[in-house]
């Protein structure tokens, strides 16, 4: 009989947001040993950077994502599954079902569940990294007080950029809304409100090319994509809302991903590799919600338990 190593589990779950936590809970319920790996210092995933109230997850409401995460953690705290924070994954071999962490530890599972979620897309322009937390704000809802009577630039053309323009216009002296195309992709209702808002100046077909300043942001440079004209705007804060992208680089070349990098799955959350499942937003580009993530965790583990 094969010797069972300490770091060998029925199921190893990568990612400790709602989908991964739900999968771990279900593993306990169905008697499967599992290890939940999370690269950050705390579980919660995207909930930790969700600042609006959550009122559409059946059975629980919360004033923000962090509060909801705490409710999830209270429920899972005493459950019987192994967990590991600051577990940055360096390498995964999905065919072999082995996972190596950056600090050297190794894990293997009969099954692997990928629950790595999504992250905010970056612009990759000069100043973006330096001014993060020094003038690049995280959220209109959370940081509205910081921009009281200041000039702020928002980049993006979707619902998030438009909604934040409306929120910040209530406190800011002026909001510039910079979008790369000649039309927004967000909701009609938001577009109409933004267009009528006297404190929002819309700059279409425009890119943000640099964020400048010293210890604080002093200005940004924009470029008109049609005329090539450069403009410096005197502003003190920046909010980037240019969408999200999946955390799936580790799996590229091993598993089927769609053209945007999302993991392709079937209705049981099975991926293109045997005994590898994917749950949550990294595998759900069309309906990324907390409820779907939690449901996908349950679906995958029920399926795995049937195999075992
Ligand atoms: P979206 O993907 O909807 O929009 C991203 C925007 O950023 C697009 O306008 C896109 O431009 C632009 N963009 C992407 N990459 C770049 C880049 N490199 N440089 C410049 N601009 C770029 O993301 P959101 O975060 O707005 O929304 C995500 C989801 O959340 C959506 O489903 C949205 O409906 C939902 N949401 C709903 C809200 C609500 O209903 N209250 C509030 C917030 C979000 P282009 O259009 O040219 O592709």
């Amino acid at each position: 009989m094969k010797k069972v190593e300490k770091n060998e589990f029925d199921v190893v779950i990568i990612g400790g947001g709602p989908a991964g936590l739900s999968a771990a809970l279900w593993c306990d319920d169905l008697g499967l040993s599992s290890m939940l790996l999370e690269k950050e210092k705390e579980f919660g995933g995207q909930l930790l950077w969700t600042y609006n109230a959550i009122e559409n997850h059946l059975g629980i409401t919360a004033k923000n994502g962090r509060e909801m995460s705490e409710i999830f953690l209270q429920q899972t705290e005493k459950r019987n599954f192994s967990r590991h924070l600051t577990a940055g994954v360096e390498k995964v071999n999905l065919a072999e079902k082995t996972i190596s962490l950056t600090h050297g530890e190794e894990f293997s599972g009969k099954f692997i569940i990928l629950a790595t979620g999504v992250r905010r897309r970056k612009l990759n322009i000069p100043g973006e990294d330096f001014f993060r937390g020094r003038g690049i704000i995280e959220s209109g809802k959370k940081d509205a007080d910081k921009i009281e009577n200041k000039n702020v630039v928002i980049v993006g053309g979707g619902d998030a950029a438009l909604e934040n323009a409306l929120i910040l216009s209530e406190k800011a002296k002026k909001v510039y809304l910079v979008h790369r195309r000649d039309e927004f992709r967000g909701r009609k209702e938001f577009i109409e409100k933004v267009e009528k808002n006297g404190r929002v100046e819309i700059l279409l077909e425009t890119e943000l090319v640099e964020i400048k300043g010293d210890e604080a942001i002093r200005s940004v440079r924009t470029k008109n994509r049609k005329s090539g004209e450069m403009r410096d705007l005197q502003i003190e804060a920046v909010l980037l809302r240019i969408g999200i992208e999946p955390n799936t680089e580790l799996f590229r070349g091993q598993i089927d991903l769609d053209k945007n990098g999302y993991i392709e799955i079937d209705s049981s959350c099975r991926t293109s590799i045997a005994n590898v499942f994917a749950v949550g937003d990294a595998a759900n580009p069309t309906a990324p919600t907390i409820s779907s993530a939690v449901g996908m965790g349950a679906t995958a583990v029920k399926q795995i338990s049937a195999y075992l």
Side-chain angles (χ1 to χ4, degrees):
M1 207 168 96
K2 192 181 163 209
K3 188 171 157 259
V4 177
E5 300 288 341
K6 155 169 131 338
N7 285 348
E8 216 176 270
F9 296 87
D10 289 331
V11 184
V12 179
I13 304 157
I14 310 178
L21 281 166
S22 167
L25 179 79
W26 274 92
C27 281
D28 179 34
D29 259 5
L30 298 178
L32 311 180
S33 66
S34 72
M35 164 58 83
L36 179 64
L37 300 173
E38 166 55 50
K39 72 176 188 324
E40 300 296 339
K41 290 194 209 98
E42 49 189 338
F43 294 110
Q46 266 182 87
L47 289 178
L48 302 176
W49 40 274
T50 300
Y51 302 103
N52 51 323
I54 298 168
E55 287 162 348
N56 48 19
H57 182 63
L58 192 64
I60 320 169
T61 58
K63 67 174 188 291
N64 54 37
R66 179 166 285 279
E67 187 178 273
M68 178 151 283
S69 176
E70 279 160 15
I71 297 168
F72 286 175
L73 289 176
Q74 267 168 26
Q75 188 186 358
T76 50
E77 198 176 40
K78 296 205 172 69
R79 289 304 198 118
N80 184 22
F81 59 86
S82 301
R83 53 207 97 191
H84 196 329
L85 290 169
T86 62
V89 174
E90 185 173 78
K91 218 167 65 194
V92 184
N93 185 327
L94 293 178
E96 301 283 330
K97 316 280 178 287
T98 56
I99 293 156
S100 319
L101 301 190
T102 42
H103 57 256
E105 229 172 325
E106 300 209 342
F107 296 92
S108 68
K110 295 183 187 121
F111 290 81
I112 293 185
I113 297 182
L114 310 175
T116 44
V118 294
R119 59 174 179 265
R120 288 219 171 98
R121 199 177 274 135
K122 283 181 68 179
L123 267 180
N124 297 315
I125 56 168
E128 185 177 5
D129 288 335
F130 182 79
F131 289 111
R132 193 161 296 281
R134 296 176 178 151
I136 298 184
I137 59 173
E138 269 191 81
S139 143
K141 192 105 184 160
K142 171 171 170 261
D143 298 318
D145 290 338
K146 290 187 193 155
I147 57 92
E148 181 120 38
N149 223 14
K150 290 182 178 164
N151 293 326
V152 51
V153 142
I154 300 176
V155 185
D159 286 335
L162 291 159
E163 190 178 39
N164 276 288
L166 295 172
I167 293 171
L168 290 180
S169 70
E170 288 172 21
K171 296 257 176 160
K173 197 194 299 174
K174 176 158 189 175
V175 176
Y176 294 93
L177 180 57
V178 171
H179 177 40
R180 63 183 178 184
R181 280 189 306 125
D182 63 353
E183 59 179 2
F184 292 114
R185 67 161 63 214
R187 267 158 52 176
K188 199 164 157 244
E189 170 207 343
F190 287 154
I191 298 171
E192 284 171 0
K193 282 190 184 158
V194 163
E195 283 173 344
K196 281 194 208 127
N197 190 311
R199 286 206 201 163
V200 182
E201 182 175 331
I202 297 169
L203 304 175
L204 294 177
E205 296 185 277
T206 302
E207 288 169 12
L208 198 69
V209 291
E210 188 176 356
I211 303 170
K212 298 195 275 189
D214 34 56
E215 282 310 297
I217 298 178
R218 305 290 173 201
S219 66
V220 292
R221 174 157 284 204
T222 62
K223 182 182 178 186
N224 185 292
R225 296 179 65 166
K226 238 172 152 183
S227 64
E229 186 200 344
M230 297 286 204
R231 198 173 153 194
D232 283 323
L233 306 173
Q234 305 308 307
I235 58 103
E236 290 112 332
V238 172
L239 178 64
L240 304 175
R241 277 294 181 274
I242 58 167
I244 48 174
E245 55 194 1
N247 295 315
T248 53
E249 287 76 6
L250 277 169
F251 320 130
R252 195 171 286 280
Q254 301 190 52
I255 201 169
D256 287 352
L257 304 177
D258 74 8
K259 67 179 188 336
N260 297 314
Y262 286 87
I263 303 166
E264 294 195 329
I265 53 168
D266 68 9
S267 58
S268 299
C269 300
R270 279 185 295 229
T271 69
S272 56
I273 297 196
N275 299 353
V276 177
F277 288 67
V279 298
D281 288 7
N284 189 4
T286 53
T289 65
I290 300 164
S291 307
S292 323
V294 166
M296 289 166 91
T299 301
V301 177
K302 288 283 276 183
Q303 190 69 36
I304 290 171
S305 135
Y307 288 141
L308 282 169

